[in-house]
Structure formats: structure tokens, C-alpha cells
Amino acid sequence: MNKYIVKGDLSGIQNFIFDIKSKGAARELKKRSLYVTNLAKELFAKDLEFFGKDNVEEIYIGGGNYFYEIETDKDEDELNKYFSQRSHEFLLNEIYPHYAWGKSGQTFKESMTQVNLEMLRVKQQRLISNSPFKKSISSLSDNIDGVGINFHYPKDEKGNILDFDKIALKGKGDHKLAALKLDVDQLGNVFRNQTKSDYSLLSNELGDFFDQKLLELIQKNQITDEVYVVFSGGDDCFLIGTWHTIINMALLIKKEFDSLNDELRKNVKTLNQNITFSAGITIFPPKYPLKQMADEVEDYLSQAKTEGRNKITILGHSLTWNEYDKVLKIKNQLYDLVMKKGESKALIQRIKSSKIGYEALQNRAVNGKLELPKVWNLKYYLRNIKKDNSKEVEELFDTYSKSLIDAFMSKENATNPMIYPIAARLTELLIKNNNNE
């Protein structure tokens, strides 16, 4: 009997899912995302048919890929022929499955390393020989009803899927949407050197988080009619929803995920690093091209990873999660000042777009060209603040001023001054469609 580790991995997912027209996009997007979600399971089921009564042990399935260990009488030539044939069936499709396999080594760790290296080689070979002629997949199921996170989407009173323009109307302030994409950092390092049992435990816990736990989080916070799940599973998720709900949802997910990390560090003794994720958020109008939106949020996610990981990028700036938490708190404070305490919306503009308030000043600080007196002249902009709010606003502006000075001086552990104009921009979106001036 021969023992092998097999990996299947789908490519072309994002282009396939999001290359659709804006009209009626919610339903078409869900049909495509469910097709991708089910495809990996269907491919694995086909493999089980091929191996018949051979002993197959599933290791991981989710996020467009799967692993399993097989003990079989079939030799390498038979495996080569089978997997080549399976790949060839998708040769001209928009989504293409890659296969890599190798004989089990002395340890599970060695086998997984070998298969992952082989997958890299297979993908590179595919890039070199890839045909430019693609055919669309026309046999998508119209059935988008089911159970689980990937069947979650806002519905009308008749149970029909709401399109994105209708979802946007459910939000606060400006009727915009936001997309959130997040992805676990350095997953290969997390799984590296794990035993088979610990590998399965980690993959199952991550899979459960991005399925059941995430769905429970949406339901518990009563935002089921404002969050549309594009896909979620394995080690990542992609959500679209009302912009204000999504920006808050990102932090809720992060806090829940940190709790999962703490539990895993206790239960998996070989796990010698924290498991974190990075995220990107883009805010967009309902009729915005979905392909462009998906590219933007992917770029923001990539930026968060490139600039240190365990971060979130929003409005083009990568923040630590603590900084992002502060952004949301400052946004709430500014909203209360304007909408509940009678301050003018001009307060928001002074932070967001005045000479001392936005990116030009931040860039000058980074380049060491900030003129210090201009920072302290910030209080000049407080001359029209209501007396009852003066202490609160002065403290807010003093903190902002200090962050600018600290950035200029390159102080260690300095507050990122960009959190203030980002918070101001989000507040501006939140007070839109309100008449308090």
C-alpha cells in the first residue's frame, strides 16, 4: 500500500465571483460565491469516488482548497493520469483546480512541506502555459437558499434577496456600502511543524470561527439585514454591508478572534505564535462596479499585510487594531458633539481638511518639515466652539496636537495622528442626511 498527501487548490476565484454587472448583482454574486464554496467539496467527493474503498482521511477543506491523506494500492502513474484529467476538464474555465501530491514522509510535517512546495511548482507551471481563451461557467444553480454562513444575505419581507441599493438604504448617515475582506496572517507558519492532530484541530477551529461563530456574531448583534456574506470559510471572509455596520463589525470580529487565539495558545502546545489577521475596508456607492470594489479592498488588505500584518487599512491608511479602535471612539465623540451637543459641522472640517488637519500636514511631519508653531496655533480654530463643549473639544484638539508633535519628533509609541482625520471623515459620512449645521 502507498500513502500520499494530496492537496487541491482553486485559482481565479476573485475574478470569477466579482466580474458581474451592478444591476441585480446581489443574487448573481451569491450564485457565484456558492458555486465556488461547493466546488472544492465536489472535487474532493470526486477524489473519493476515484479512490473507492481506499482509506481517505480528510485533513482540511475550506477557502477554495483541501488536503487529505490517502492509503491506496494505486501507483504514481495512476495518480498522475487521474489528476491531469481532472485539471484538463477545467482547462478553459474561469476557475481552475491545481493538484499537488506526494508520498507521505517520515513525519506529517515533512509531507506537508513537500506537498506545499509541489503546489507552488504546479501553479508556476500553470502561469507559464495558461491559455488566454476562457469560457464562462453557464450552469450556475439558481438555488441560493441553505443553512450556514455562506447562505446569509439580507432579505425582503417575502424572503427574496435584497439588492445592494436596498441594503444601503438600511444604513446610518450616507447611503453607502462598505466591503470588508480579512485573511489570517502567515497561515503557513501557523500550520508549519504541527502534528496531524494539531493541524486538524487548528483547521477545524479556524473553519468553525469563519462559519458558525461569525454567523452567531452577526445574529447576536442584530445586523442580519445589513450584512451580506460574499464568502466565509477556512481562513478568510469577505463581507459587504451598510458602511457603518461593516466598520464596527471589523472590530467585533477582531475581538472574537483574539479570544479564539488565546484558547488555541492554551490547547495547542506546539503553537508558538499568536494567530492574527489583517483586513481591508473600502467604502463605495451601491452602483459602484463590483470588480473595481473587489480590487480595491484586495489592495487594502495587501497593504495591511505589507505594512506589518495584524492591521486594518481604511481610507488608504493602515492602522493597528488599537489605532482603529481609537478611530471608532473619536468618530463617536465627534458625532455626539455635532448631533447631540450642538456643535457645527465645521468642527469636522477643521480636523479633516484644514491646513493643520489632513494628509499634507501628516506628510510634512513624516518628512521632518513640520513647522511646530503652526501645530500649536490649532486652538485658533476653537474660537467659535460652544462654551459647554469647550473643555471636551480643547482636550480632543490638544491630544491631536500632541500626536502631530510626537510624529514630527518620531517618538516611540506615539499616537498615529492620522486617526483624527480618518475619524473625521467617518463622522462626516455618519452625519450626512442630517440637517444640524
Side-chain angles (χ1 to χ4, degrees), residues 5-9 47 65-68 83 98-102 112 115-116 119-120 123 199:
I5 297 283
V6 177
K7 179 178 183 178
D9 194 326
D47 292 355
N65 62 79
Y66 60 94
F67 290 95
Y68 59 88
F83 288 119
H98 300 277
Y99 294 98
W101 55 275
M112 290 301 297
V115 170
N116 283 322
M119 180 58 76
L120 288 175
K123 285 187 173 182
Y199 192 107

Side-chain angles (χ1 to χ4, degrees), residues 260-274:
L260 172 64
N261 171 69
D262 292 341
E263 286 298 312
L264 290 174
R265 291 298 301 269
K266 290 178 185 177
N267 297 331
V268 182
K269 302 304 180 184
T270 53
L271 185 60
N272 56 11
Q273 67 181 79
N274 286 324

Side-chain angles (χ1 to χ4, degrees), residues 334 337-338 343-351 385 393 397:
L334 291 173
L337 281 166
V338 172
E343 282 304 328
S344 169
K345 293 178 183 178
L347 172 67
I348 309 302
Q349 292 301 319
R350 287 165 191 158
I351 297 175
I385 295 298
V393 176
F397 273 57

Side-chain angles (χ1 to χ4, degrees), residues 25-41:
R27 184 173 187 84
E28 181 65 20
L29 185 62
K30 180 49 59 182
K31 286 165 59 177
R32 291 181 176 230
S33 67
L34 288 174
Y35 172 82
V36 171
T37 299
N38 293 328
L39 183 56
K41 298 175 183 177

Side-chain angles (χ1 to χ4, degrees), residues 177-191:
L177 297 168
L180 165 68
K181 186 173 185 183
L182 60 86
D183 182 80
V184 174
D185 296 318
Q186 296 182 302
L187 189 63
N189 288 344
V190 171
F191 282 137

Side-chain angles (χ1 to χ4, degrees), residues 17 83 134 180 269 336 364 377 393:
I17 289 180
F83 288 119
K134 299 270 187 168
L180 165 68
K269 302 304 180 184
D336 286 347
R364 291 175 68 191
N377 282 344
V393 176

